[in-house]
Amino acid sequence: MDFPQIAFLLILGAALYLFISERLRVDVTAMLTLLALVLTGVLDAKQALSGFASEPAIIVAAVFVISGGLAATGITERLGQWIGDASGKSESRAIAVTMPAVAALSSFTHHVMVTAMMLPILTRFAKARGLSASRLLMPMSFAASLGTTLTLVSAPAFLLADNLIERTGAPGLGIFSITPIGLALVALGVVYMLATRWLLPKRGGEHGDDGYLRLDRYRTELLIVEGSRWSTRPLAELQKALGDRFVLTGWLRDGQRRQDLGPSSPLISGDILLVEASADAFASLHDDSGLDLNAIARFGDSVTGEGDGEPQLVQAVVAPGSEFIGRSVRELDFARRFHAVIAGLWRRQGAVAPRLSDARLREGDLLVLWGRPSRFAELAAHHGFLMLVPFAGEARRRIRAPLALAILAATVIAAATEWLPASLAFLLGAVAMVATRCVDVEQAYREIDVRIFVMIAGVIPLGVAMEQTGTAQLLAQGLLHVVAGWSPLAILLVMFASAALLTQILSDAATTVLLGPIAISLAQSLGLPPTPFVVCTALGAVAAFLTPIGHHGNLLILGPGQYRFNDFLRIGLPLTTMVALVSAWMARWLWLDGPLWPLSS
């Protein structure tokens, strides 16, 4: 072994230690690794920085923004609610509906985001129907991971695999090149979970409350403003636009409560709707130019004349022993005393007066306040409140949902037909989401997981260094001695199994970058195309369910489902074994002209 190989192996060993021990964040470790490769002369500066301009890094950042646009326009939330509604009342139907739908969602969005979105929906669904959440959450999480095998852009591992294949001079992967394998794996996962439901643990979730991860039932009053686009349109259209987390409790017209008005009745400027709304729906109400929160419309001018900063929503909890307890919102005269408006109220239990101004406060009530940040200092210091925190709701721009879907469709078509390179197509889609205000630019930047972006840009040079120093060829020769005389199918299984084990301690991206060059060298030594070997390596990195730490989505459900470590091994090991067999078999069929059916010649 020469110096570059020794230096690379030492750097690789240190990087693996830091990745596994998590003493440093993965993105910091990736950057330190990149710098070490340059300082030791293993790579030059241009090679080391090539990852930041690579297609995988650009596509991953763009997919995060597009996913943010779908979430900001309420598309993902509405799809999640539809999945919950379509799941019926039985456990088997819930699994049969949820798994394919979640897999489809994960094919173009981040699977952890899909898991996080579906978690409270399935938790509420299980509680409402007397089912155990632990029987639903694991199939859902597995489906989210399997869904990443449906398209090239849904997991960093496949983008990196494509990058490795193209560097060999072989044709790269198209956006749907792996879709046949993904469809087979999703179908396998659904059938397996339905057939082995008895293996799933039956435990109550820790977070069975309806309020898990979200506070619902904010009480507020909604004003239809003069010249509103909602004026003369039926209430049903407004309810549809705002989603299921919006409930009408009363309707005031000309100051009188009307019992004769319903969903088909037209809205009129000046109408006041008494509503209950989720945090996201609440923020959406405030951001709609045709609507206004009644308290802000009445008292907003009196609190915005003084102070600095743009008015914003915050939350405050009424403290035990507060002077506000037992007094109505009307009596407190918040606008004059604190230069803030009480725009909404959340109460865990107990009735609330029909009109917000008549509600008498209780200990633990959560008030939604509106005012300028510079005026909140007095409120934060007041002994009547336990805390003052930013409002948690994200406004949903539901009116732009059709536009967001059109952008997604155009992006996929442009990439699939190769009218534009995939990286440029997805970058254009991300820019279009921001330019059309499906998602604002600040939120778009927040949606990008910088750790993943930097990690991908930082680990790509590891693969370059492994190839350039000859280390990949060295390791492949050693592996070739072990698998000499083995069939291509068996070697594909070896690559899948190696990645499946390594991904339990490393990310799917890092696993693919480390094992991909070995797979390429092994294929070249056998005189075979590298594509099936690299693809099987990437599949092993993203579709192995041996432990809860192998995928971030599994970590999300670990607590709510009250799962134990061996639950994943008992259920995931047989599934991972079958996934390996299907992946290797279909990769051989797609790229090595192997038979599709076992009895075919």
Side-chain angles (χ1 to χ4, degrees):
M1 295 179 68
D2 54 20
F3 173 75
Q5 290 177 335
I6 295 173
F8 171 76
L9 289 174
L10 289 174
I11 293 170
L12 176 61
L16 286 174
Y17 169 74
L18 291 174
F19 276 131
I20 295 168
S21 66
E22 296 184 351
R23 290 184 176 273
L24 297 174
R25 284 180 19 157
V26 291
D27 50 344
V28 176
T29 297
M31 288 298 95
L32 288 175
T33 303
L34 182 153
L35 292 172
L37 291 172
V38 175
L39 294 175
T40 55
V42 174
L43 295 178
D44 59 35
K46 184 177 180 180
Q47 291 171 320
L49 297 175
S50 61
F52 287 97
S54 65
E55 284 195 1
I58 293 170
I59 292 176
V60 163
V63 166
F64 276 122
V65 175
I66 293 173
S67 298
L70 297 178
T73 52
I75 292 172
T76 49
E77 179 185 8
R78 184 164 293 179
L79 286 172
Q81 291 166 354
W82 175 84
I83 293 169
D85 293 339
S87 296
K89 296 182 179 180
S90 70
E91 186 179 270
S92 58
R93 179 175 171 181
I95 293 173
V97 169
T98 299
M99 289 189 70
V102 167
L105 283 175
S106 298
S107 62
F108 287 104
T109 57
H110 198 274
H111 71 98
V112 176
M113 184 192 78
V114 175
T115 303
M117 177 192 73
M118 289 301 302
L119 178 55
I121 292 172
L122 285 185
T123 302
R124 286 194 296 265
F125 171 86
K127 182 180 180 182
R129 289 160 177 78
L131 303 175
S132 174
S134 63
R135 308 270 284 191
L136 302 177
L137 296 182
M138 187 180 288
M140 180 271 293
S141 178
F142 285 4
S145 294
L146 289 172
T148 62
T149 65
L150 291 171
T151 64
L152 184 72
V153 300
S154 51
F158 295 121
L159 295 170
L160 292 168
D162 179 51
N163 181 264
L164 288 168
I165 292 168
E166 286 184 341
R167 288 212 304 263
T168 68
L173 298 170
I175 189 172
F176 295 118
S177 292
I178 61 172
T179 302
I181 301 176
L183 290 172
L185 296 184
V186 171
L188 171 66
V190 174
V191 172
Y192 172 80
M193 282 299 179
L194 288 173
T196 60
R197 282 188 300 122
W198 55 274
L199 284 173
L200 292 166
K202 195 170 185 178
R203 306 187 187 107
E206 293 177 355
H207 306 285
D209 194 352
D210 286 345
Y212 175 63
L213 287 180
R214 179 181 295 273
L215 295 177
D216 290 331
R217 305 186 304 276
Y218 282 95
R219 296 293 295 270
T220 190
E221 296 179 0
L222 181 63
L223 174 69
I224 308 300
V225 302
E226 191 70 31
S228 168
R229 62 189 175 89
W230 298 108
S231 185
T232 72
R233 294 167 70 178
L235 171 69
E237 288 191 24
L238 177 61
Q239 290 178 312
K240 182 180 179 181
L242 292 173
D244 295 341
R245 297 297 171 205
F246 168 85
V247 178
L248 182 73
T249 61
W251 192 333
L252 301 180
R253 178 168 289 173
D254 299 327
Q256 301 296 318
R257 187 156 184 168
R258 298 285 295 271
Q259 303 291 343
D260 58 326
L261 300 176
S264 60
S265 302
L267 298 163
I268 297 176
S269 297
D271 281 356
I272 297 175
L273 305 179
L274 312 180
V275 303
E276 293 182 348
S278 68
D280 291 341
F282 196 106
S284 300
L285 296 174
H286 179 55
D287 276 10
D288 193 314
S289 59
L291 308 170
D292 205 351
L293 299 176
N294 187 41
I296 296 176
R298 290 181 61 192
F299 304 108
D301 291 342
S302 64
V303 304
T304 57
E306 301 178 8
D308 300 321
E310 287 294 317
Q312 64 184 51
L313 294 170
V314 298
Q315 297 180 127
V317 179
V318 178
S322 170
E323 64 183 83
F324 306 135
I325 294 175
R327 301 176 67 185
S328 70
V329 172
R330 189 193 311 276
E331 294 169 355
L332 291 175
D333 195 10
F334 242 65
R336 181 187 61 79
R337 183 175 178 184
F338 292 110
H339 300 280
V341 173
I342 298 179
L345 180 148
W346 179 87
R347 179 172 291 167
R348 186 175 183 84
Q349 291 179 332
V352 180
R355 295 299 305 271
L356 186 63
S357 57
D358 296 328
R360 295 193 176 273
L361 300 184
R362 300 180 183 178
E363 174 187 329
D365 279 354
L366 186 68
L367 304 180
V368 182
L369 307 176
W370 184 83
R372 292 190 183 275
S374 59
R375 306 296 306 195
F376 289 145
E378 183 180 354
L379 277 170
H382 197 283
H383 66 275
F385 297 115
L386 285 177
M387 65 183 78
L388 197 70
V389 296
F391 187 62
E394 290 280 356
R396 296 289 184 247
R397 306 177 179 200
R398 299 181 191 276
I399 194 172
R400 292 185 171 85
L403 184 58
L405 283 174
I407 292 171
L408 174 63
T411 300
V412 173
I413 291 171
T417 59
E418 298 184 355
W419 182 66
L420 290 174
S423 56
L424 189 57
F426 278 87
L427 182 60
L428 186 61
V431 172
M433 284 285 188
V434 175
T436 57
R437 299 181 62 195
C438 290
V439 59
D440 62 54
V441 66
E442 291 82 7
Q443 186 178 351
Y445 279 117
R446 290 197 302 269
E447 291 292 338
I448 299 173
D449 192 329
V450 178
R451 292 174 301 175
I452 294 178
F453 175 81
V454 172
M455 186 196 71
I456 289 174
V459 297
I460 283 177
L462 266 179
V464 175
M466 182 175 277
E467 294 176 24
Q468 187 164 301
T469 59
T471 307
Q473 180 66 24
L474 186 66
L475 295 174
Q477 289 298 328
L479 184 59
L480 186 61
H481 288 303
V482 176
V483 300
W486 290 19
S487 68
L489 180 65
I491 298 173
L492 291 172
L493 287 171
V494 168
M495 295 312 305
F496 184 101
S498 301
L501 292 173
L502 190 57
T503 198
Q504 304 307 311
I505 55 176
L506 293 181
S507 69
D508 58 347
T511 298
T512 303
V513 167
L514 291 177
L515 295 181
I518 298 174
I520 290 171
S521 295
L522 189 60
Q524 291 171 340
S525 299
L526 296 169
L528 296 173
T531 302
F533 296 89
V534 179
V535 168
C536 274
T537 301
L539 286 167
V542 302
F545 310 105
L546 304 177
T547 69
I549 61 176
H551 299 284
H552 293 159
N554 290 341
L555 292 175
L556 281 180
I557 67 168
L558 192 60
Q562 290 190 353
Y563 295 113
R564 303 188 181 100
F565 195 93
N566 63 357
D567 290 332
F568 288 87
L569 185 62
R570 185 179 72 254
I571 299 166
L573 180 59
L575 177 60
T576 302
T577 302
M578 288 186 284
V579 166
L581 290 169
V582 171
S583 298
W585 188 275
M586 294 203 66
R588 186 183 65 161
W589 169 63
L590 286 170
W591 292 290
L592 296 177
D593 297 324
L596 177 59
W597 305 109
L599 298 180
S600 301
S601 58

